[in-house]
Amino acid sequence: MKLYYSPASPFARKAIVTAHEAGIADQVELVNIATSPLDANPELLKHNPLGKIPSLALEDGHSLFDSRVICEYFDSLNEGDKLLPASGMERYNVLVTQSIGDGIMDAAVASRYEKALRPEGKQWDGWVDAQVEKIVKALDTLEMWRGARLPEVHIGSISVACALGYLDYRFSDLDWRKERPILTQMLDTFSKRTSMKVSDPAKA
Amino acid sequence: MKLYYSPASPFARKAIVTAHEAGIADQVELVNIATSPLDANPELLKHNPLGKIPSLALEDGHSLFDSRVICEYFDSLNEGDKLLPASGMERYNVLVTQSIGDGIMDAAVASRYEKALRPEGKQWDGWVDAQVEKIVKALDTLEMWRGARLPEVHIGSISVACALGYLDYRFSDLDWRKERPILTQMLDTFSKRTSMKVSDPAKA
């Protein structure tokens, strides 16, 4: 199967990290493509009408997206410890942790688009400020909430690790480690894993 | 349990429709709140640091979000036919259909924010055009793709129905029915269901 990705995308990184942690990375061919939210790559559009990465093209012609669906599929092929518990509140805690990680990425990417994609005169500080506020509140919740089970490896913590990695990559001035020892240690621990090392956007 | 929602949100509507279709709507207290992406409602923030709707507050103090997690939870309480198949390609087809429906909503909401939320001088047609292109391509894919199994009722088709309903509500000039008889019939069929009638934003 082929995973369409770009090294800078935190959502694509989430899929790549999950493939490694699920022990199935050798079954996934990575296809690095250039694409933009304003002008999607034509090859990518054949697999995903929304023109978003990551998108997964299966051998049988099916396509899977977005990152949540791809991560769940990778974990279904996982013959080791599952990254997404099958049921119960354990499952929902992992899913909510993923929602928070994804929400941080959404806000950070929206903020990035505001500055990197828009004509200068059309950029609006009010929008960026609102995204940063979301990020800060989400980080504070993760720092406090034991249900997130950091730094254990599951689909939720993978999303959080990729979100924190993206903040380091694009928003280093945010200084997210300040007064957040649990998240700081969590990313330190995660960063030693092969899955995170091979997908580090700063080394692409 | 309490579901925080706003009648205009297509993602919140998805959760409400799913509660009805799962046969558990009588267990869900709807809490209609005013909130904005720029200034989240303080009551909502107690349950979801991202300040987004829908958010579900359970009796035991746990909170569930976003709409995908809430819909899956509602279906786990469903004692009738499941809205999300348990496994196999049938499950992934439903999940990808949901991704397309959610992607249409994301693009439509982004376009709405551009026009309704931003100061006039900061609005950018290039962004709106890109969102409309995503919507059109996604609709064309749904019209052709038999794997979406429209108009059967499942979590994917519920998302698509709420997306189409939102286009009617906010983007009537898009004329999405033109040359899309399958989607047209699908929404006609869905619109007769109690779940869709009680959550129609135009009647709120």
Side-chain angles (χ1 to χ4, degrees):
Chain A
M1 50 194 156
K2 289 182 182 178
L3 184 73
Y4 292 88
Y5 85 108
S6 165
S9 161
F11 291 101
R13 187 181 192 190
K14 201 177 93 173
I16 294 170
V17 170
T18 301
H20 280 273
E21 298 296 347
I24 57 115
D26 58 341
Q27 299 174 42
V28 182
E29 181 189 342
L30 297 180
V31 184
N32 183 344
I33 53 162
T35 190
S36 150
L38 294 175
D39 187 18
N41 183 298
E43 175 72 12
L44 176 62
L45 280 172
K46 288 182 202 163
H47 302 285
N48 180 347
L50 300 164
K52 288 183 182 172
I53 45 176
S55 292
L56 184 71
L58 302 179
E59 305 295 337
D60 68 1
H62 279 90
S63 292
L64 299 186
F65 52 90
D66 48 25
S67 73
R68 288 195 196 174
V69 181
I70 295 171
C71 290
E72 189 183 312
Y73 179 71
F74 284 166
D75 198 40
S76 77
L77 304 176
N78 179 1
E79 294 177 353
D81 292 341
K82 291 293 183 185
L83 302 169
L84 179 58
S87 62
M89 201 40 69
E90 206 189 357
R91 179 180 179 90
Y92 290 100
N93 280 348
V94 165
L95 288 175
V96 169
T97 305
Q98 177 176 235
S99 290
I100 300 177
D102 287 5
I104 293 171
M105 294 194 243
D106 272 329
V109 167
S111 191
R112 166 81 186 162
Y113 286 169
E114 189 74 23
K115 294 173 189 169
L117 217 62
R118 283 188 179 256
E120 219 167 298
K122 302 290 186 186
Q123 296 172 18
W124 180 36
D125 288 345
W127 185 245
V128 172
D129 294 346
Q131 305 314 310
V132 171
E133 200 171 315
K134 275 186 205 301
I135 293 169
V136 167
K137 286 199 164 73
L139 292 172
D140 288 342
T141 296
L142 287 171
E143 181 74 20
M144 288 186 324
W145 184 44
R146 294 295 88 83
R149 288 178 22 224
L150 308 176
E152 288 173 49
V153 178
H154 50 72
I155 280 180
S157 57
I158 290 171
S159 173
V160 171
C162 293
L164 296 175
Y166 189 71
L167 295 180
D168 278 342
Y169 180 54
R170 294 288 197 203
F171 298 86
S172 54
D173 55 341
L174 193 68
D175 198 11
W176 65 263
R177 284 176 180 78
K178 196 179 170 192
E179 293 178 29
R180 296 196 189 97
I182 289 171
L183 290 178
T184 300
Q185 198 207 323
M186 185 249 177
L187 189 60
D188 283 352
T189 305
F190 255 75
S191 297
K192 297 187 177 91
R193 303 184 73 85
T194 302
S195 61
M196 291 291 285
K197 283 185 190 165
V198 299
S199 60
D200 185 347
K203 289 175 189 154
Chain B
M1 50 194 157
K2 288 182 182 179
L3 184 73
Y4 293 88
Y5 85 108
S6 163
S9 162
F11 292 101
R13 188 182 191 188
K14 201 177 92 172
I16 294 170
V17 170
T18 300
H20 280 272
E21 297 296 348
I24 56 115
D26 57 341
Q27 299 174 42
V28 182
E29 181 189 342
L30 296 180
V31 184
N32 183 344
I33 53 161
T35 189
S36 150
L38 295 175
D39 188 18
N41 182 298
E43 174 72 13
L44 175 63
L45 280 172
K46 288 183 202 163
H47 301 284
N48 180 348
L50 300 164
K52 288 182 182 173
I53 45 175
S55 293
L56 185 70
L58 301 180
E59 305 295 336
D60 67 1
H62 279 89
S63 292
L64 299 186
F65 52 88
D66 48 25
S67 73
R68 287 196 196 174
V69 181
I70 295 170
C71 289
E72 189 183 313
Y73 179 71
F74 284 166
D75 198 40
S76 77
L77 305 176
N78 179 0
E79 294 178 353
D81 292 342
K82 291 292 184 186
L83 301 169
L84 178 59
S87 62
M89 201 40 69
E90 204 190 358
R91 179 179 178 90
Y92 291 100
N93 280 348
V94 164
L95 288 175
V96 170
T97 305
Q98 176 175 236
S99 289
I100 300 176
D102 287 5
I104 293 171
M105 291 194 244
D106 272 330
V109 167
S111 191
R112 166 82 186 162
Y113 286 170
E114 190 73 24
K115 295 173 187 169
L117 218 61
R118 282 186 180 257
E120 220 166 298
K122 302 290 186 186
Q123 296 173 17
W124 181 34
D125 288 344
W127 186 246
V128 172
D129 293 347
Q131 306 313 311
V132 171
E133 200 171 314
K134 274 186 205 299
I135 293 169
V136 167
K137 286 198 164 73
L139 292 174
D140 288 342
T141 296
L142 287 171
E143 181 73 20
M144 289 185 325
W145 183 44
R146 292 298 86 82
R149 288 178 23 224
L150 309 176
E152 289 173 49
V153 178
H154 51 72
I155 281 180
S157 57
I158 289 171
S159 172
V160 171
C162 294
L164 297 175
Y166 189 70
L167 296 180
D168 278 343
Y169 180 54
R170 294 288 197 202
F171 298 86
S172 55
D173 54 342
L174 193 67
D175 198 11
W176 65 263
R177 285 177 178 77
K178 196 180 170 193
E179 293 178 30
R180 297 197 188 96
I182 289 172
L183 290 178
T184 301
Q185 199 207 322
M186 184 249 176
L187 189 60
D188 283 353
T189 306
F190 256 75
S191 298
K192 296 187 178 90
R193 303 184 72 86
T194 302
S195 62
M196 292 291 285
K197 283 186 192 167
V198 297
S199 60
D200 185 347
K203 289 176 190 153

